[in-house]
């Protein structure tokens, strides 16, 4: 029997990020300046973002970006992450499908977010900045950025969606342990926060709203820039390390997935996971089915429109062409704080619009049922966010079982 | 440069537990029946514990016990655990010492406790039992046993020390997700619990007290047995897998530790970690320094007495000869819920009494300082319990620095 956990060696950690845009014939639409409705220039973006990150954001052509040595060194403290064969889940479901999952939870942030946090903190440090500001929903991104900031000696200000701030006091404590400051959003510490609080005094907040506050906090303070944990091209670029490792691990065991499933809020996890596989599909080298799993309470792909919208609630950010529920959308408080963004990565939006990927929305109760089944079989207690993908994977695995095609070799990432 | 994380392969997972008692010329003192003051017989213990576990408990001579196939299969879902070189911590401290740590936190229980939980649940299932009862302090053991019980389809009743139950509601939720029932202790669901509540209505509870309740719940219900997460010989036997893996990993990279440090409450982590190394020392094959790190608020080794005492507060358990603070000792509520047991493993007590190991007690504030230093350098946020060992390791590493012996090759586990 093949191993449960497939690990690459430290030497096999990818040396370059893969930029999916380079292989897209129709590129994702550019960010627009909300005042002029012209594409945002590098000069305009540099007031908000770190310089090298702006370059990555705007580059639709360079296929590979070298991962800086310092970032690769840090990766070695928690990467490569394992690709795990879910033998016990398969047995419990009685399915002929082969189920694999790439487990990114083995670091203190509890998620894949650290992959981009450490890269972004590195570029901020390199630019000689004092600190960075950001927002966080479920708290994983904020935790990851706190860890990365502590490592590089940067100040870190986190605006945490109020609903999550109240649901997860321990998450907040972890961030402050790493030296970050954490403010529940909307707050009275920013102009945009005060404006939103006046209009919606009882709101539990949203990512879009926390983004507005974090951007304001960055641009109104010398030596600070804003960083974002999802949605942006640069983030998907960094997260390609997930897919690159998974691809290499599959090659190592002579396997190849038929269906690749990821949960999606802003798209960082899904975009990173599928990148090299989607690249093969775009280049016509190989075909895969891709499934985006999102919450029914915030269904950007399945019920949103593909059009230009603000990335934030306070209308201070650029416009992005994306599947969106409208930047005023306030999702009901649920337990998947990381999947509550009103829009979707422009890369994934374009991919989805071209019909290269499917999307499905799931109700929370069905998602939690899947999570409990997975937890009891596999040991690992999955995050509510990841459990959306688990729901989709279990459904697909049960289809394999029902079809009776014993030999169907479905593999689900 | 050598790797950060040293992984064994799944094939290298040990096939046998190592019983340190086999190499002790003076054996740990036997458990005594509190009524007769005679050594507990297998027959007497079988009313409380699973049969095969009783055999392991009483066997001072068999050196190796085969790990059942089913248990080894489960181990593969989260083991081998990595041995990690703390490069970033070393750099931050500016020490010539080489610091390694065996990281057991990469599973949902968040600790080493799963190693023994899965073995104990397996033997309970094999015996045809309906369920098992236990106590938990910090919650890791209860979580581990819930996971193991869910895997083998056993009912699981957990008595959780009230102080921890109130400090850690999420911990409780994890256990119920795995299907366990969780009762704050002392509770009014047992006779002993009611008795303790009457005497100390405002108590935050203790492990000794929760043990009394869990034992009562087991012996008063058909098809149930009691299982324990630390202290007992059987638990240290199962936990030897930690030390066996570490020993193999060091051999693989041609290293050998000079000082081996572990935190200790009941002794399961420390006893498991040091077992094969202490075996070499006992057999005269190799010398190591061992340091037990305990909290100043519950200093069994450094301020306790080596004598026979009850293992629980309610006087329902056998007497064990151990370093003890007295079974009526109620430690102040602190954050290291896993290190609040009034006594200590009889094996470790005997080892310590023979002068084979050092012990140190640490104040919580110093421990937390060490934890923050470690977290910011290494990424991983350590548990309050493990942070006692980190405090000791940092102190030793700073001694290496002060002595100026650049070539001193201290290695700390």
């Amino acid at each position: 029997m093949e191993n449960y956990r497939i690990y690459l060696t430290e030497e096999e950690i990818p040396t370059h990020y893969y930029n999916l845009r380079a292989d897209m014939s129709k590129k994702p639409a550019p960010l627009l300046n909300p005042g002029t409705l012209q594409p945002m220039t590098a000069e305009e973006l540099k007031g908000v973002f770190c310089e090298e990150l702006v370059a990555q954001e705007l580059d639709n052509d360079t296929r590979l970006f070298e991962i800086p040595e310092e970032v690769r060194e840090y990766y070695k403290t928690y990467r490569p992450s394992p690709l795990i064969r879910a033998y016990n889940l398969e047995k419990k479901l009685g399915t002929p499908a082969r189920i694999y999952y790439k487990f990114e939870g083995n670091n203190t942030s509890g998620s894949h977010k650290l992959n981009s946090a450490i890269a972004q903190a590195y570029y901020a440090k390199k630019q000689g900045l004092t600190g960075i500001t950001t927002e966080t929903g479920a708290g994983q991104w904020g935790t990851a950025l706190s860890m990365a900031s502590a490592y590089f000696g940067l100040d870190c200000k986190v605006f945490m969606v109020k609903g999550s701030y109240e649901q997860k006091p321990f998450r907040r404590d972890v961030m402050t342990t790493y030296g970050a400051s954490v403010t529940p959003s909307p707050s009275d510490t920013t102009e945009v926060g005060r404006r939103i609080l006046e209009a919606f005094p009882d709101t539990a907040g949203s990512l879009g709203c926390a983004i507005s506050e974090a951007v304001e906090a960055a641009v109104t303070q010398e030596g600070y820039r804003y960083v974002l944990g999802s949605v942006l091209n640069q983030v998907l670029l960094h997260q390609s390390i997930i897919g690159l490792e998974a691809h290499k691990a599959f090659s190592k065991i002579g396997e190849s997935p038929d269906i690749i499933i990821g949960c999606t809020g802003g798209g960082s996890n899904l975009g990173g996971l599928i990148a090299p596989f989607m690249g093969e599909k775009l280049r016509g080298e190989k075909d895969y089915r891709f499934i985006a799993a999102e919450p029914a309470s915030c269904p950007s792909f399945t019920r949103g429109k593909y059009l230009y919208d603000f990335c934030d609630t306070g209308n201070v950010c650029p416009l992005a062409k994306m599947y969106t529920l409208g930047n005023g959308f306030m999702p009901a408080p649920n337990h998947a704080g990381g999947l509550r963004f009103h829009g979707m990565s422009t890369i994934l939006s374009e991919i989805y619009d071209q019909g290269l990927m499917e999307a499905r929305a799931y109700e929370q109760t069905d998602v939690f049922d899947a999570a409990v089944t997975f937890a009891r079989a596999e040991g690992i207690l999955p995050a509510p966010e990841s459990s959306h993908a688990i729901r989709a994977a279990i459904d697909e695995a049960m289809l394999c079982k029902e079809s009776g095609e014993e030999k169907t070799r479905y593999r689900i990432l």
Side-chain angles (χ1 to χ4, degrees), chain A:
Chain A
M1 195 164 85
E2 171 190 295
N3 278 2
Y4 282 77
R5 300 189 299 171
I6 303 118
Y7 274 108
L8 303 175
T9 65
E10 282 177 16
E11 293 69 35
E12 289 172 318
I13 293 178
T15 56
H16 292 72
Y17 296 125
Y18 165 64
N19 183 7
L20 180 59
R21 286 166 287 165
D23 283 315
M24 291 171 72
S25 50
K26 189 176 170 210
K27 308 291 181 188
L31 297 172
L32 298 187
N33 180 317
T36 64
L37 296 186
Q38 292 304 303
M40 292 289 291
T41 63
E43 218 40 60
E44 289 171 327
L45 286 169
K46 279 177 188 169
V48 179
F49 297 110
C50 303
E51 284 178 29
E52 292 216 34
L53 292 168
V54 168
Q56 294 180 355
E57 188 65 28
L58 296 176
D59 192 331
N60 284 338
D61 303 308
T62 305
R63 180 178 266 127
L64 298 174
F65 283 87
E66 190 171 2
I67 304 175
E69 181 59 32
E70 291 85 340
V71 174
R72 264 156 62 202
E73 274 304 302
Y74 190 86
Y75 280 159
K76 289 182 189 167
T77 66
Y78 72 100
R79 304 198 70 81
S81 73
L83 179 71
I84 307 180
R85 174 81 183 267
Y87 281 118
N88 292 325
L89 179 63
E90 292 171 15
K91 207 160 72 181
K92 194 158 183 172
L93 300 177
T95 176
R98 304 224 275 262
I99 308 174
Y100 292 87
Y101 57 102
K102 177 77 171 158
F103 185 55
E104 293 285 320
N106 267 357
N107 68 75
T108 296
S109 84
S111 80
H112 67 294
K113 295 285 186 179
L114 194 51
N115 302 332
S116 184
I118 194 68
Q120 297 198 44
Y122 166 78
Y123 290 120
K125 185 69 183 178
K126 196 177 161 200
Q127 197 176 323
L129 297 176
T130 308
I132 45 189
T133 73
T134 198
E135 77 299 321
T136 196
Q140 278 86 349
W141 168 247
T143 308
L145 199 69
S146 305
M147 293 167 66
S149 297
Y151 184 73
F152 284 122
L154 288 164
D155 183 39
C156 178
K157 295 183 195 303
V158 179
F159 289 85
M160 186 170 187
V161 175
K162 197 187 276 175
S164 287
Y165 184 89
E166 286 166 359
Q167 269 177 354
K168 305 183 175 183
F170 295 147
R171 202 30 104 160
R172 182 179 68 207
D173 290 342
V174 175
M175 290 185 260
T176 54
T177 298
Y178 284 96
S181 72
V182 185
T183 308
S185 168
S187 77
D188 61 5
T189 68
T190 64
E191 211 177 294
V192 63
R194 287 188 291 271
R195 190 146 44 85
I196 293 168
L197 273 178
E198 210 174 288
F200 309 96
D202 297 324
T203 179
S206 71
L207 271 179
C209 162
I211 290 173
S212 298
E213 291 205 82
V215 170
E216 182 182 323
V219 300
T220 55
Q221 199 167 2
E222 184 68 28
Y224 280 76
R225 289 295 184 282
Y226 166 71
V227 301
L228 182 62
S230 190
V231 184
L232 295 176
N233 298 339
Q234 60 192 257
V235 179
L236 269 72
L237 176 68
H238 307 149
Q239 294 297 357
S240 67
I241 194 165
I242 306 172
L244 292 165
E245 281 187 8
H247 195 279
K248 206 177 274 190
F250 274 120
S251 304
K252 239 179 152 170
I253 56 169
E255 287 269 18
S256 175
D258 295 305
I259 310 178
I260 301 171
I261 300 172
C263 68
T264 190
S268 70
N269 154 68
L270 179 67
L273 177 68
I274 69 173
F277 300 96
M278 185 61 83
E280 289 182 306
K281 181 164 177 158
L282 290 171
R283 296 192 303 270
E285 294 166 10
K286 204 157 185 179
D287 199 20
Y288 303 95
R289 271 180 67 205
F290 298 92
I291 302 174
E294 62 183 15
S297 60
C298 194
S300 320
F301 271 139
T302 52
R303 300 192 56 190
K305 298 255 178 285
Y306 189 36
L307 40 77
Y308 267 104
D309 190 12
F310 286 99
C311 289
D312 65 329
T313 309
N315 300 2
V316 305
C317 284
L319 295 162
K321 190 177 176 196
M322 58 185 177
Y323 278 84
T324 174
L325 297 158
N327 78 326
F329 181 77
M330 286 276 178
N334 67 9
H335 288 279
L339 306 182
R340 297 174 82 247
F341 184 60
H342 65 273
M344 186 58 65
S345 143
T346 59
I347 296 174
L348 294 181
S349 292
E350 181 53 37
I351 290 284
Y352 181 62
D353 193 58
Q354 291 179 26
L356 295 161
M357 179 170 68
E358 306 159 42
R360 294 186 200 154
Y362 295 95
E363 298 289 346
Q364 178 160 285
T365 314
D366 297 333
V367 166
F368 279 14
D369 282 349
V372 171
T373 300
F374 182 88
R376 294 186 182 181
E378 288 292 310
I380 291 169
L381 183 70
E385 291 80 2
S386 320
S387 301
H388 288 72
I390 293 172
R391 173 77 273 164
I394 290 179
D395 288 353
E396 285 297 324
M398 292 315 284
L399 284 178
C400 298
K401 184 180 177 179
E402 283 161 27
S403 71
E405 297 169 84
E406 285 287 328
K407 279 178 195 149
T408 308
R409 301 172 79 225
Y410 273 100
R411 294 171 208 93
I412 294 157
L413 198 59

